Amino acid sequence: YAAKCDKPVLDAGCAYGETSIVALKKGAKCVVANELEEDFLNIIAKDKRLTDNDRQRFYFKVGKMPDGIDFPENSFGAIHMSRVMHFFHPDEVERTFEKIHKWLVPNGRFYLLTASPYHYCTPGFGEIYEERYEKGQEWPGEVTDFTINSGQQFAKKTPTYLHEIDPRVLFRVAVKHGFLIKKLELS
């Protein structure tokens, strides 16, 4: 979709920029890559796949979503955020949706991927999530202490906070902030 936009696109929380680079290669007019730490953006800037033409259409913005960066209204035709929002507290989720709605042009698109309550690194949490959801908790996916125990070699202590979100909660928040949902799924 980025290649069809006549406005810039934002890759929020871009990590090593794989999605940003693909968008450029597919013909995006302009890509803004955002990451919390400048080190990630420096790695992207040195990526050998980038041509001079790509670099002229590529911009970097260091800062933490949602409050560490800002853009004018109607700045972007599309915004992509993958595997970032599950580190946000509920108030940050709300502010992120609010800001993204403001930053998008009318009919702009927001692509979001986040950890679900059924993620492999929190085995059994899905049941807890469902119980909380059925009891009416607005944000049933907050995890404040757990250990990855997937049997894989990278098993380690995780951050002290994770916020897993299912489509029902995402739908509620997106609609509240003025989004029209085209596709929402749990995979």
Side-chain angles (χ1 to χ4, degrees):
Y1 182 78
K4 299 176 187 177
C5 291
D6 61 353
K7 288 277 197 178
V9 297
L10 171 64
D11 189 6
C14 68
Y16 293 106
E18 290 302 315
T19 301
S20 298
I21 292 170
V22 169
L24 285 168
K25 294 298 185 185
K26 297 243 180 198
K29 176 181 177 178
C30 172
V31 175
V32 177
N34 156 252
E35 186 49 63
L36 178 63
E37 296 180 21
E38 190 172 351
D39 292 347
F40 283 102
L41 301 177
N42 289 334
I43 291 168
I44 298 167
K46 296 173 187 172
D47 194 296
K48 294 183 186 326
R49 295 173 290 174
L50 295 172
T51 65
D52 288 342
N53 180 273
D54 295 333
R55 292 176 200 287
Q56 291 175 2
R57 299 177 291 125
F58 207 4
Y59 297 88
F60 299 130
K61 183 74 170 178
V62 176
K64 183 181 187 294
M65 285 287 291
D67 300 320
I69 63 170
D70 206 2
F71 298 99
E73 288 188 30
N74 301 315
S75 291
F76 300 105
I79 296 175
H80 172 261
M81 180 182 276
S82 180
R83 302 204 175 274
V84 176
M85 195 171 285
H86 49 263
F87 296 113
F88 292 1
H89 291 270
D91 60 314
E92 294 171 311
V93 172
E94 295 277 2
R95 287 196 311 279
T96 297
F97 272 89
E98 182 180 326
K99 281 189 155 189
I100 286 176
H101 190 268
K102 179 183 81 167
W103 296 341
L104 284 170
V105 297
N107 298 314
R109 294 188 181 182
F110 177 30
Y111 296 92
L112 173 67
L113 175 66
T114 190
S116 82
Y118 314 101
H119 195 270
Y120 72 91
C121 75
T122 53
F125 184 70
E127 294 168 14
I128 296 167
Y129 185 94
E130 290 299 330
E131 287 174 20
R132 291 176 180 176
Y133 186 85
E134 292 302 318
K135 289 179 182 176
Q137 286 190 18
E138 188 176 21
W139 301 98
E142 291 185 283
V143 181
T144 56
D145 187 26
F146 64 92
T147 302
I148 293 176
N149 188 14
S150 64
Q152 298 181 21
Q153 67 186 23
F154 59 85
K156 62 180 181 177
K157 184 73 177 166
T158 64
T160 57
Y161 182 84
L162 188 66
H163 188 188
E164 298 176 339
I165 309 172
D166 82 342
R168 299 169 293 190
V169 173
L170 287 173
F171 182 86
R172 174 182 52 81
V173 176
V175 168
K176 175 182 175 183
H177 291 284
F179 286 89
L180 172 65
I181 309 300
K182 293 194 177 222
K183 185 176 180 181
L184 185 65
E185 65 183 33
L186 180 65
S187 59

